[in-house]
Every structure is written in structure tokens, then in C-alpha cells.
Amino acid sequence: DSGVTQTPKHLITATGQRVTLRCSPRSGDLSVYWYQQSLDQGLQFLIQYYNGEERAKGNILERFSAQQFPDLHSELNLSSLELGDSALYFCASSDRDRVGGNTIYFGEGSWLTVV
Amino acid sequence: LAKTTQPISMDSYEGQEVNITCSHNNIATNDYITWYQQFPSQGPRFIIQGYKTKVTNEVASLFIPADRKSSTLSLPRVSLSDTAVYYCLVPSGNTDKLIFGTGTRLQVFP
């Protein structure tokens, strides 16, 4: 158990809908990272927050947005969903804003299926 | 950007030592190299991290040459349960983007 909690574990929704994925980082961790992993594909970096502020952005679609709240949990909002958005979405956390010599810890992911 | 390059796949047999090399030619001075293991439908799991020379823990060793442009993950005496995808991760330049490479799919046979 990495200490990173993601909910829901599984989600099935229709095209055009909007969903919210939630992540609770490890206790004390200030950074949250979001990744997307489609079937048999690699990990695509989406976005990173540090202590409530956006710190780095990857190839995140405009239909997707995220935020980190004062209690440090984070939410990834996916809207106008398309079939191609079906993927495993991972959250990871670390205690710093830059990896350097520390480690990021991943949650078990949220499976999103768009039908 | 510290792009990483790894072999797409490797095969091995139980009991053998497996070495997976990752190249990261543009690694920054202060950056560490971290390796992760991922099983299907699970989150990546930290294996080992190092800055230079050699690091060893209970599951693996990490060898980093003096120029730090590559690193080699060494798994001693692999078992079937080591079948997974292995990623090396180096921060991208002076940003906080943690971009994973394609990873190496290791298949261990009996």
C-alpha cells in the first residue's frame, strides 16, 4: 500500500458526460501528479500540483482540468468524454515540488470506461 | 529534456540475472534516476533510486557510470513474478514534468 488513495476504482460512463476522479496523497505529501494510461500504452503525464498550485503541465486536453484543495487532495475533472478517454488514470504524490532525490508514490488508479 | 530510452522488451528465464539499461543523455546535474515496476492494471511501484555509482537494496541494484548518461537496473535471480514493465524515470530538464519513457517489458519464463 503506497498510501495514495484514488476513488472511484472503476467508473463507466457515456460519451459526452463529465466525471471527477479523486486523489488523496500520502500523509504529508504536498505534490500530486496525474497520469493517463490507455490499454497497453505508457504513462502519459497530465499535470502536477504543489501545495495547491499548478506546477507543471503535460499533454492534458482542454476538456480535462484538475485542482488541488487546501487539504491537499486533488481532483481530475474530465468533461465531454469520448471513447478514447477510456483509460487508467493514476495519481502519484511526493513531498517535494521537484523529484530530485525523493520518490513519487502511485495510487492504484481509477479505471474509466467510456461507452 | 531528459528523455529516456530503454529496450522495448526483454526475455529471461527463472534464476537468471537481468540487466536493463536506460539511456538519459541530457540528465541534469541535480537529478536522480529512479526505476519503477508496473504490473498490469496496477500503479507503478518504486524499485530503486540513485545518483551515481552503485546503489543496492533488497530487490535490485542500480549501476550509474561516471558520466550519468545511462543507468542499468540489475535484477538478481529473477522469478516468474518479476514479469512486468520496468520504467526508468528522470525529471525533464528544469521542469517538474515527470515524463516516463516507454518502459521495458520483461517476460520471465520457467
Side-chain angles (χ1 to χ4, degrees), chain A residues 89-110:
Chain A
Y89 291 85
F90 288 109
C91 170
S93 75
S94 71
D95 64 356
R96 303 180 191 176
D97 60 343
R98 180 164 171 73
V99 173
N102 77 332
T103 302
I104 62 170
Y105 295 89
F106 283 81
E108 288 306 308
S110 293

Side-chain angles (χ1 to χ4, degrees), chain A residues 33 35 37 40-45 48 55-58 88 90 97-109 111, chain B residues 28 30-34 36 38 41-46 49 87 89 91-102 105:
Chain A
Y33 305 78
Y35 288 85
Q37 188 172 41
D40 290 334
Q41 298 296 311
L43 294 153
Q44 300 297 318
F45 171 72
Q48 182 220 352
R55 187 57 62 98
K57 183 178 283 190
L88 194 52
F90 288 109
D97 60 343
R98 180 164 171 73
V99 173
N102 77 332
T103 302
I104 62 170
Y105 295 89
F106 283 81
E108 288 306 308
W111 265 113
Chain B
N30 296 327
D31 285 336
Y32 282 65
I33 301 141
T34 311
Y36 289 85
Q38 187 182 28
S41 303
Q42 294 186 24
R45 184 175 69 96
F46 170 84
Q49 183 179 75
Y87 295 94
L89 178 63
S92 289
N94 292 319
T95 75
D96 294 300
K97 296 183 181 181
L98 296 183
I99 297 175
F100 283 81
T102 56
R105 190 176 298 272

Side-chain angles (χ1 to χ4, degrees), chain A residues 11-32:
Chain A
L11 187 59
I12 301 175
T13 190
T15 55
Q17 294 298 306
R18 172 189 171 96
V19 299
T20 297
L21 309 180
R22 181 189 170 102
C23 170
S24 294
R26 294 188 319 153
S27 178
D29 282 0
L30 299 179
S31 272
V32 170

